[in-house]
Amino acid sequence: MRLTAEEQEILAGRWGAPARRALEMQVATGGFFGAEAMVRISAAHLTGDPESMGDAGLGFVEDLVRQGARFVVPTTTNSCNVDLDLYRQLGQPEEAAQQERRLRELIGAMGGILLTSCTNYQTIYQPRFGEHLGWGDTGTVIYANAVCGARSNFEGGPASYAAALTGRVPAYGMHLPACRRGTHLVEVRDQPRGVSDWGALGVLVGRRLTNYWLVPVFTGLEVEPDADGLKQLGATLASYGSLAMFHIVGMTPEARTLEDAFGGRAPRGRIVVEPGDLERAYRSFVPEQAEVDLVVSGTPHLSLFEVRRLAGLLQGKTIHPKTMLLLTTNAEVKAMADRFGYTQGIEAAGGRIVVGVCYYIMTPREMARRHSLRTIVTDSAKLANIIAAYGYNPIFRPTAECVEAAVSGRIAR
Amino acid sequence: MTAPLVLTAHPGVGDVVEGDALVSPDGFSARYDLDRTTGVIARESHALHGQSIAGKVFVCPLAKGGFATSWALYDLRARGLAPLAMLFGWANPVMVQGAVLAGVALMDQLAPDPMQVIETGDRVRVDPKAGRVEVWPRATMRLHPTPDGGAPCRWPG
């Protein structure tokens, strides 16, 4: 790898031990993927919550702070494990809150901004075309790449810290135009209608293309996704397929035409989404029992428009006494929902808005034990994918069906 | 002792290790498939459901998943539950970042394809910097001494 004079100074320890260790890790990772150089980034988005990091990961961050680490680019944080105002009511362990408080102190000490959101791109910062980033959360990365035309790899937990400490990342993968071009053609003949249908489309493609280095190119869409639809499509592709990039011909910035999307190369494969396939994607999640224990919406974090729609669907309704309804979003959207009365309507129906968290890192095993949770209904295909590993029976359904399940306490088998 | 089967690739990360193979026909993510408190594959639909990856040379077609995977190996290693090495058809960034932090050997794109030539229980030596993997099939090892010379074969308990 070619390193600049400044990068060699970092490796020599002139920026301190944390930056040196960070760059060493980056050089090792970059070397693995054939990076020839580092590239400067404008911002970093940290992915590290105590549930995901474990004690060793927390120790890694403690070490950084002890050694005087400072972030050198604007650095925000991803979703966390507890809403510090609600965790006691929800029966989450005190230890999770203590770890969250400690991690916030540590990140604050390094100069990080405690955003605690996985929708930084909707709420805080919209990257420009061609901007290099060191973002960690996969849903944020694929949105930045595909929708904004910015450039980031999955800079996972320790790599997101490394990016914040050195202000650069190894230039491989999504930083290189050749890796961003389409590899597979997706012909869509079943048109998405609601936001979660874009997730269903992501399920169909993400189950087929399960490799970071593949890039689907969607054609045949007669409807245009809004930002929430693109959020669901991207997060689902990233979750099911570990994908970091997609194109929609005529809609996303690096796919003005089919030729543009594929960069003049022929597709390596073709996927056809036939009429009825979106419905089949939902029905591939089969309930074991009719009773619904939990309904969750908000992976990734809900936008203001989504909270408003849920408030409308819940108007005049009451959640079933044996069913819990949780909506997850960030503090900014929650503040607006409070201001416009959406929160009040949701709470009047028996639902709760939980701030800064994402359900699959919200101590889901402890939640299941505490509240006897098994069947979870959600309009997030990503959440349905992940939560299965925590002993839940996940059922992915459109948003309106999720609200009906919360009200009736039942799901059709 | 028969000569090992040799697989080669671009340089990987980590140090030389040797251990027994655990071959997964399914892809792998630390968040989606693993109970990180025990090192056991917890996803009910996974082909290796109920098996531990601890101390194994884990062979798998694809690295999947997101940032949890990049932390998981470090925490598993601290608790003695990490795999010795990981051989993927295709690795993704989060798996490599995790291996770098944890000091777990990781390689990908080996030829011939490890999924075709390595079976669970085979003895495997991984030399990431040399881009080289050596395999002694389990069937052969039952008849011959171990590759490190003469000692009786010891299978994981």
Side-chain angles (χ1 to χ4, degrees):
Chain A
M1 227 166 143
R2 284 192 322 273
L3 296 180
T4 63
E6 188 173 59
E7 286 154 4
Q8 283 164 2
E9 284 183 6
I10 297 173
L11 280 184
R14 304 250 172 80
W15 288 22
R20 179 177 60 199
R21 185 172 183 200
L23 189 56
E24 284 169 355
M25 293 198 304
Q26 293 181 314
V27 168
T29 302
F32 184 94
F33 291 113
E36 292 178 356
M38 302 290 293
V39 61
R40 285 179 169 277
I41 54 170
S42 55
H45 188 63
L46 298 181
T47 46
D49 58 273
E51 197 275 342
S52 305
M53 304 166 87
D55 291 341
L58 281 170
F60 170 81
V61 180
E62 291 273 5
D63 284 346
L64 293 178
V65 173
R66 198 174 303 122
Q67 294 166 347
R70 291 290 298 178
F71 298 145
V72 297
V73 290
T75 299
T76 48
T77 59
N78 207 47
S79 309
C80 62
N81 306 148
V82 291
D83 177 334
L84 290 171
D85 294 331
L86 275 184
Y87 75 94
R88 284 197 187 93
Q89 278 185 49
L90 292 168
Q92 290 184 263
E94 188 63 41
E95 187 195 3
Q98 284 167 1
Q99 287 181 330
E100 178 62 33
R101 290 191 192 99
R102 179 61 185 153
L103 184 60
R104 288 185 190 191
E105 284 173 10
L106 294 169
I107 292 171
M110 290 184 281
I113 299 166
L114 293 155
L115 178 63
T116 60
S117 181
C118 53
T119 54
N120 56 345
Y121 53 85
Q122 278 191 318
T123 312
I124 297 296
Y125 186 77
Q126 292 75 43
R128 66 167 169 79
F129 188 87
E131 179 171 355
H132 293 277
L133 300 165
W135 282 9
D137 176 82
T138 61
T140 68
V141 170
I142 193 169
Y143 195 98
N145 282 326
V147 180
C148 306
R151 299 179 174 190
S152 182
N153 284 312
F154 291 178
E155 299 293 345
S160 66
Y161 278 89
L165 290 167
T166 65
R168 21 171 77 75
V169 292
Y172 66 90
M174 295 304 141
H175 295 283
L176 309 177
C179 293
R180 301 169 62 86
R181 291 180 190 139
T183 62
H184 287 69
L185 182 66
V186 182
E187 293 180 30
V188 182
R189 298 175 186 164
D190 194 9
Q191 300 301 321
R193 292 179 301 273
V195 167
S196 66
D197 283 1
W198 291 94
L201 181 59
V203 171
L204 295 165
V205 175
R207 278 182 179 157
R208 300 272 299 276
L209 304 182
T210 54
N211 185 331
Y212 187 80
W213 310 100
L214 302 181
V215 178
V217 177
F218 292 88
T219 62
L221 284 161
E222 294 160 10
V223 290
E224 295 189 14
D226 61 8
D228 293 321
L230 291 164
K231 172 174 72 177
Q232 282 300 334
L233 176 62
T236 310
L237 291 169
S239 169
Y240 286 72
S242 196
L243 305 184
M245 182 67 179
F246 66 88
H247 300 283
I248 305 178
V249 174
M251 297 188 202
T252 56
E254 290 168 63
R256 285 163 298 177
T257 63
L258 199 61
E259 293 69 33
D260 191 22
F262 282 100
R265 297 183 302 195
R268 284 156 56 181
R270 176 168 160 266
I271 294 171
V272 180
V273 178
E274 300 285 3
D277 278 354
L278 296 179
E279 181 62 19
R280 280 187 280 276
Y282 289 113
R283 300 301 150 191
S284 66
F285 294 85
V286 182
E288 295 168 350
Q289 57 183 39
E291 292 77 22
V292 173
D293 303 315
L294 173 66
V295 176
V296 178
S297 185
T299 304
H301 279 165
L302 296 169
S303 70
L304 184 66
F305 295 176
E306 290 175 301
V307 174
R308 184 177 73 151
R309 171 148 190 264
L310 283 158
L313 289 168
L314 285 163
Q315 195 167 20
K317 305 267 177 65
T318 304
I319 302 306
H320 191 273
K322 290 191 171 168
T323 306
M324 189 186 294
L325 171 66
L326 301 179
L327 311 183
T328 55
T329 189
N330 53 43
E332 292 69 28
V333 168
K334 171 66 162 45
M336 288 188 283
D338 291 351
R339 175 148 52 108
F340 301 129
Y342 308 152
T343 307
Q344 198 184 11
I346 289 161
E347 289 178 350
R352 261 190 276 229
I353 301 181
V354 199
V355 171
V357 298
C358 180
Y359 190 75
Y360 64 79
I361 55 173
M362 213 177 105
T363 59
R365 280 195 187 85
E366 289 79 4
M367 287 289 288
R369 265 200 298 274
R370 174 79 181 233
H371 304 286
S372 303
L373 306 175
R374 171 71 185 168
T375 303
I376 174 174
V377 179
T378 178
D379 56 356
S380 163
K382 174 177 178 174
L383 176 57
N385 191 26
I386 295 176
I387 205 68
Y390 295 87
Y392 289 76
N393 174 217
I395 312 300
F396 170 49
R397 291 291 182 268
T399 308
E401 285 185 44
C402 292
V403 170
E404 284 166 27
V407 171
S408 68
R410 299 182 75 80
I411 186 92
R413 297 176 72 185
Chain B
M1 181 67 216
T2 51
L5 175 68
V6 176
L7 290 66
T8 57
H10 69 94
V13 296
D15 297 324
V16 176
V17 288
E18 184 178 318
D20 295 329
L22 175 66
V23 181
S24 169
D26 295 342
F28 176 75
S29 142
R31 167 141 22 237
Y32 293 60
D33 300 315
L34 193 69
D35 180 344
R36 284 167 284 142
T37 59
T38 61
V40 170
I41 305 250
R43 191 183 188 81
E44 288 160 21
S45 61
H46 198 281
L48 297 188
H49 177 240
Q51 298 201 51
S52 171
I53 63 170
K56 300 294 185 186
V57 175
F58 186 72
V59 182
C60 177
L62 271 171
K64 300 188 302 179
F67 70 85
T69 292
S70 63
W71 288 114
L73 291 171
Y74 190 55
D75 194 49
L76 287 169
R77 176 127 193 214
R79 291 181 295 116
L81 297 172
L84 266 186
M86 307 184 90
L87 307 179
F88 288 101
W90 292 88
N92 65 354
V94 289
M95 197 67 78
V96 176
Q97 292 154 4
V100 166
L101 175 65
V104 170
L106 188 149
M107 298 180 66
D108 83 346
Q109 299 179 65
L110 286 147
D113 180 1
M115 290 303 298
Q116 302 297 323
V117 299
I118 302 180
E119 289 183 25
T120 291
D122 287 354
R123 192 76 182 169
V124 182
R125 183 175 187 274
V126 181
D127 187 344
K129 291 188 179 68
R132 182 181 171 94
V133 169
E134 297 173 345
V135 182
W136 290 269
R138 181 178 187 174
T140 317
M141 288 191 57
R142 286 205 178 102
L143 303 172
H144 299 280
T146 54
D148 47 315
C153 289
R154 282 180 297 120
W155 300 111

